[in-house]
Amino acid sequence: MLEKTQIRIVAGTLRGRKLTVVVHEGMRPTPQMVREALFSILGNAVPDRVFYDVFAGTGVVGLEALSRGATAARFIEFDPRQVADIQKYAAQFGVGDKAQVLKADVYRWAERWIPAGKDAVNLFLSPPFPDLSQKAEEFLKLMNTLLAKAPDESVLTIQAEDGFPLEQLPDREAWDVRSYGRNMLLFYVVSRKPVEAAAATAPPEA
């Protein structure tokens, strides 16, 4: 079933701008409350970084990142209609020069992805319902691939649902998990600091 709805950018230079989008039951547009929480938690990690909106769908999360000061947004989406809509709204909102929309299968894109440099980035993953339930193992592999490549201090965020296999997350204790109804946001900060360096900078024991 297709349904037309409006989604509003909530803050930043594009505050109040609206996207009219068509969604279907397999999509998971990020609810406004969850988007607000996402960017509140990321805070200063958004400005002056590249933001990757993976499984972009409507593209509203990447556009919100641009609104809040991201230097650029990379949208990865397989549906050609969604790709065209993201390009349309980026141009209408005057941020087309900062938006790169890639029509690609996310899993294949991740295998080929090479970060442009050593600067930290944001990776936001909001997979469709079937990927969380029927392709959980493949999705976890995708996540591990991105974590292995992301520069130091990058933040990877997953928008998941109740029932997501949290116990299968790598380095489980390092994840910050927040719940919003049936939605969950899972945050992981990439750290490649050598153990020796971490020990040298640790505060002395009392």
Side-chain angles (χ1 to χ4, degrees), residues 33-80:
M33 176 185 69
V34 178
R35 264 190 294 131
E36 290 176 344
L38 166 70
F39 286 103
S40 175
I41 293 167
L42 289 177
N44 292 333
V46 176
D48 304 320
R49 288 190 182 190
V50 176
F51 191 99
Y52 288 84
D53 192 351
V54 185
F55 301 99
T58 66
V60 68
V61 175
L63 290 169
E64 182 93 39
L66 289 175
S67 180
R68 294 172 182 257
T71 55
R74 309 280 188 258
F75 302 84
I76 298 86
E77 172 57 46
F78 188 69
D79 187 331

Side-chain angles (χ1 to χ4, degrees), residues 99-191:
Q100 180 185 12
V101 190
L102 304 175
K103 180 188 177 301
D105 175 271
V106 166
Y107 297 92
R108 294 184 179 180
W109 167 82
E111 293 173 358
R112 299 190 302 265
W113 178 56
I114 300 175
K118 295 183 179 180
D119 292 337
V121 301
N122 282 294
L123 293 153
F124 176 74
L125 283 65
S126 181
F129 287 114
D131 292 63
L132 285 175
S133 56
Q134 302 165 22
K135 301 170 68 173
E137 186 174 335
E138 189 175 355
F139 176 73
L140 287 166
K141 180 180 177 182
L142 160 72
M143 180 198 66
N144 281 316
T145 297
L146 295 176
L147 285 174
K149 296 180 179 182
D152 197 26
E153 297 185 5
S154 294
V155 181
L156 185 143
T157 307
I158 301 171
Q159 181 194 347
E161 301 270 333
D162 283 344
F164 182 79
L166 295 173
E167 70 281 358
Q168 295 185 36
L169 291 171
D171 195 11
R172 171 65 184 90
E173 296 304 314
W175 290 80
D176 183 356
V177 179
R178 311 287 182 98
S179 295
Y180 307 90
R182 71 179 188 184
N183 285 276
M184 293 189 295
L185 289 176
L186 289 59
F187 298 87
Y188 187 90
V189 180
V190 176
S191 177

